[in-house]
Amino acid sequence: MAGIVKGTWHDHNNDIYAILGRKARELSMQRRTGSGKYTNKLMFMFEEMSRSKCKVQGCSESQVTSVADFSTNYYNLRMM
């Protein structure tokens, strides 16, 4: 990820990522395309399995109709 500016950062596509909230075992984020046309919400949940293992679950949801999103929501999670 390129430079962090005021709690946000952008990737090679100039998409902007931001942390929206944090709880003990949850992280809420947002990704907005460089054009500003599309926004996706992401959430990660963390569970300690043992002293050396952590389980991470995540979901990403488009904030507009995305019939042919070309796996954007998977990409969002994978990039994070």
Side-chain angles (χ1 to χ4, degrees):
M1 295 295 150
I4 296 174
V5 179
K6 295 184 182 178
T8 65
W9 62 96
H10 67 297
D11 65 14
H12 65 281
N13 292 321
N14 207 31
D15 296 340
I16 300 167
Y17 295 80
I19 295 173
L20 301 178
R22 289 181 257 192
K23 294 182 182 177
R25 295 182 178 188
E26 290 182 7
L27 178 64
S28 300
M29 300 181 70
Q30 174 179 289
R31 172 187 166 262
R32 187 170 182 163
T33 57
S35 67
K37 189 173 180 180
Y38 302 106
T39 300
N40 306 113
K41 301 283 180 156
L42 296 85
M43 179 173 280
F44 294 93
M45 291 77 58
F46 305 93
E47 181 181 347
E48 186 176 350
M49 304 302 287
S50 69
R51 292 186 70 174
S52 62
K53 293 182 183 180
C54 177
K55 179 179 177 181
V56 178
Q57 294 180 316
C59 64
S60 175
E61 182 179 80
S62 299
Q63 299 303 293
V64 296
T65 303
S66 57
V67 176
D69 75 349
F70 303 103
S71 299
T72 296
N73 289 301
Y74 171 76
Y75 170 85
N76 291 336
L77 297 170
R78 176 87 170 135
M79 293 308 294
M80 287 297 106

